Amino acid sequence: RVAYVNGVYQRHAEATIHVEDRGFQFADGVYEVWSVFGGRMADFEGHMTRLHRSLNELRIDIPMSAESLTRVLKETIRRNRVRDGIVYLQVTRGTARRDHPFPAPGTPPSVVVTSKSIPFARSQAQAAKGVAVVTHPDIRWGRCDIKTVGLLPNVLAKQAARDKGAYEAWMVDEMGLVTEGSSTNAWIVDKAGKLRTRDTQANILKGITRTAIMAMIEAEGIELDERPFSVEEAKEAKEAFFTAAGAFVMPAISIDGVKIGDGKPGPIATKLRARYLEEAKREAI
Ligand code: PMP
């Protein structure tokens, strides 16, 4: 396996970044993850556009042209012989002697790309059965719309889920409303039969998979209510599911041990997953 590190493909086991990289010291960096199908990236433009937005919001220099970056992503996938899996890109504000303010202008950002295989069959098996979700307080900052590598609250939430044998943690604000998953966007079909997901004005990440699903929902003629839902509403829902690159559309069959619907993946989640996979594979580059 190899990793791309600042212009060089290094052996993965030995790939390193400097101890004074600002990503390491301050979580001063952003990232993106693309799903890979048959060696090709899904939702390519969406993730690339969001990367540039994240960099802009943090005033980190664009490290290289979109064309060069695309070439590096493809080459990393190719060199790692990834058919199905993910490719990960991280850009930090670069290496400089530790000091909180931005380093001197011209300090080059650090760029890392890795790629790994994940058997597609594993995700399909999980989706066929459905997975467990637990809730966890959302203790994050006020700019969760930026995809930064500052993920400690997400790590703690995900581990709390794993400790309870669950796949994902849904984070909950002080009002008792679900914000999003630790690495996914959260959705329900509420007891009135309405599809609900939190609006992206409300301090969550605007998921690329979420956006892709929204186009399909419209095409299917399903009505969407882009409005936060409470943990109580989620527990009484007919269906629950979550979306992300890598998870695609994943049905949740329990929340904090409370069975959702009949305890099986619901029809809307199942249909959206199939349709998402079909389109994502077809449009992957
Ligand atoms: N919310 C959070 C907090 C995430 O980390 C992710 C995954 N990066 C998502 C939502 C889903 O986003 P996407 O569909 O773009 O993968």
Side-chain angles (χ1 to χ4, degrees):
R1 289 181 67 200
V2 300
Y4 172 91
V5 184
N6 292 329
V8 183
Y9 293 93
Q10 302 184 356
R11 278 188 51 197
H12 185 270
E14 284 143 26
T16 49
I17 204 99
H18 196 273
V19 289
E20 295 221 274
D21 189 273
R22 291 182 64 95
F24 180 57
Q25 292 183 327
F26 298 113
D28 189 359
V30 303
Y31 73 107
E32 277 298 332
V33 178
W34 285 260
S35 297
V36 176
F37 293 111
R40 299 187 302 158
M41 289 171 276
D43 292 323
F44 183 75
E45 286 302 329
H47 288 279
M48 197 57 117
T49 302
R50 187 173 64 188
L51 169 72
H52 284 100
R53 178 182 181 276
S54 296
L55 291 168
N56 257 319
E57 290 294 325
L58 299 181
R59 293 196 282 147
I60 296 175
D61 294 338
I62 310 292
M64 55 174 101
S65 70
E67 295 71 38
S68 304
L69 203 48
T70 306
R71 205 170 326 113
V72 169
L73 291 165
K74 288 186 175 176
E75 184 62 10
T76 306
I77 293 167
R78 193 187 70 76
R79 290 196 190 211
N80 286 295
R81 297 189 182 82
V82 172
R83 301 304 299 161
D84 296 326
I86 58 154
V87 61
Y88 173 88
L89 164 72
Q90 178 170 330
V91 181
T92 77
R93 205 181 303 276
T95 296
R97 205 173 67 173
R98 187 180 180 281
D99 197 11
H100 288 64
F102 295 173
T107 302
S110 300
V111 181
V112 167
V113 180
T114 60
S115 187
K116 69 173 178 186
S117 298
I118 304 169
F120 182 59
R122 188 199 298 166
S123 176
Q124 288 294 72
Q126 284 164 333
K129 269 182 68 182
V131 299
V133 162
V134 296
T135 59
H136 195 79
D138 192 337
I139 58 169
R140 298 174 303 161
W141 70 327
R143 291 305 306 273
C144 298
D145 59 308
I146 308 172
K147 198 163 170 63
T148 84
V149 295
L151 290 173
L152 188 51
N154 310 60
V155 166
L156 297 177
K158 188 78 92 183
Q159 186 57 37
R162 290 292 192 274
D163 289 345
K164 292 176 184 158
Y167 181 107
E168 178 60 305
W170 279 8
M171 298 184 283
V172 182
D173 68 15
E174 304 95 70
M175 318 268 288
L177 299 170
V178 173
T179 55
E180 60 188 322
S182 67
S183 62
T184 61
N185 287 113
W187 305 67
I188 60 167
V189 178
D190 71 15
K191 67 177 182 190
K194 265 252 170 81
L195 184 57
R196 306 260 299 270
T197 194
R198 192 179 178 98
D199 63 282
T200 49
Q201 260 50 260
N203 200 31
I204 62 166
L205 188 74
K206 189 171 179 182
I208 303 304
T209 318
R210 176 186 182 279
T211 302
I213 293 298
M214 281 186 173
M216 291 165 203
I217 288 164
E218 216 184 316
E220 294 277 348
I222 301 169
E223 209 185 319
L224 171 68
D225 194 0
E226 221 178 321
R227 187 161 58 89
F229 54 83
S230 67
V231 175
E232 285 323 301
E233 286 177 300
K235 286 178 181 169
E236 294 174 355
K238 290 186 166 146
E239 291 189 39
F241 61 95
F242 50 88
T243 57
F248 320 117
V249 177
M250 186 59 73
I253 51 168
S254 70
I255 298 173
D256 293 337
V258 175
K259 192 163 85 173
I260 303 306
D262 60 2
K264 296 199 184 81
I268 292 181
T270 303
K271 178 189 254 180
L272 290 175
R273 179 179 174 92
R275 184 146 184 193
Y276 174 77
L277 288 172
E278 194 184 299
E279 292 197 14
K281 284 179 185 172
R282 193 175 59 232
E283 286 168 16
I285 67 150

